[in-house]
Amino acid sequence: MATIKIIRGDITTMAVDAIVNAANTSLLGGSGVDGAIHQAAGPELLAACRPLNGCATGEAKITPGFRLPAKYVVHTPGPIWQDGQHDEPQLLANSYRNSLNLAAENGCQTVAFPSISTGVYHFPLKLAAPLALRTLQETVNTTATAIVEIMIVCFDAQTQTAFTEALAALPH
Ligand code: APR
């Protein structure tokens, strides 16, 4: 049974099997956690992303981690929040589910996630946190049963609070 932990920190320092990157559909880098991951992984990461020809929102693609302590990077573009009427919740759930399944398919047992879409993409944190945790719990119980530990790596206190409260409220 996989454990889900909420921690405060910088995902680029996580020595886990896979870290998840909150990317954009081009997969050619950006700001936020995407920028930090590319900066830490080095130029080979962008070179490995180019031939992937981008990635659709909610889908996921995997590359090596290169100079990162993590073995793999799973890249997923989360949805850009508009008004909640454009499938944003379903697309965010897809990003979490597809990323975890792809990591498990590549033999990963420990996976670290950032808070996908709640930065530049403006997905409301109070909606995103419970949705993310429910999706991850359902995925480890059904398709990604090889996963041992999931960490949500929160870059700021507000995100950590939202995910900690959502974890406490998660039905076990
Ligand atoms: N470690 C962990 N989390 C981080 C880090 C880091 N080093 N840097 C930023 N974050 C957090 C942000 O504080 C936020 O809580 O990641 C969360 C997601 O924010 P963004 O990085 O802005 O990602 P997102 O909202 O999904 O927007 C994606 O931003 O960087 C561009 O190329 C990216 O176009 C894409 C868009």
Side-chain angles (χ1 to χ4, degrees):
M1 178 61 191
T3 58
I4 300 179
K5 289 197 175 84
I6 312 302
I7 64 172
R8 179 82 185 271
D10 173 349
I11 201 165
T12 65
T13 67
M14 300 296 292
V16 289
D17 292 332
I19 63 169
V20 176
N21 179 20
N24 60 55
T25 53
S26 75
L27 293 191
L28 299 179
S31 56
V33 70
D34 194 5
I37 288 172
H38 276 272
Q39 179 70 29
E44 292 140 304
L45 183 61
L46 182 56
C49 286
R50 281 195 200 288
L52 298 180
N53 293 321
C55 185
T57 299
E59 299 301 313
K61 292 191 178 178
I62 194 165
T63 65
F66 298 109
R67 296 180 197 164
L68 287 162
K71 193 173 167 197
Y72 294 105
V73 181
V74 175
H75 307 262
T76 184
I80 298 171
W81 181 262
Q82 298 180 60
D83 54 11
Q85 307 301 316
H86 291 75
D87 275 342
E88 297 100 319
Q90 184 55 51
L91 288 167
L92 184 62
N94 292 352
S95 271
Y96 280 100
R97 182 181 324 102
N98 291 328
S99 297
L100 194 61
N101 283 330
L102 185 56
E105 285 155 22
N106 283 273
C108 298
Q109 294 189 313
T110 56
V111 183
F113 284 83
S115 175
I116 301 168
S117 279
T118 63
V120 163
Y121 282 179
H122 300 300
F123 200 111
L125 186 51
K126 292 267 181 254
L127 270 180
L131 172 65
L133 296 179
R134 258 197 327 273
T135 304
L136 291 170
Q137 187 174 62
E138 179 194 296
T139 306
V140 290
N141 289 339
T142 53
T143 49
T145 51
I147 297 292
V148 172
E149 182 166 65
I150 296 170
M151 277 141 284
I152 309 291
V153 184
C154 304
F155 205 51
D156 55 49
Q158 186 195 7
T159 303
Q160 185 177 21
T161 302
F163 272 90
T164 302
E165 288 172 359
L167 185 62
L170 199 63
H172 288 278

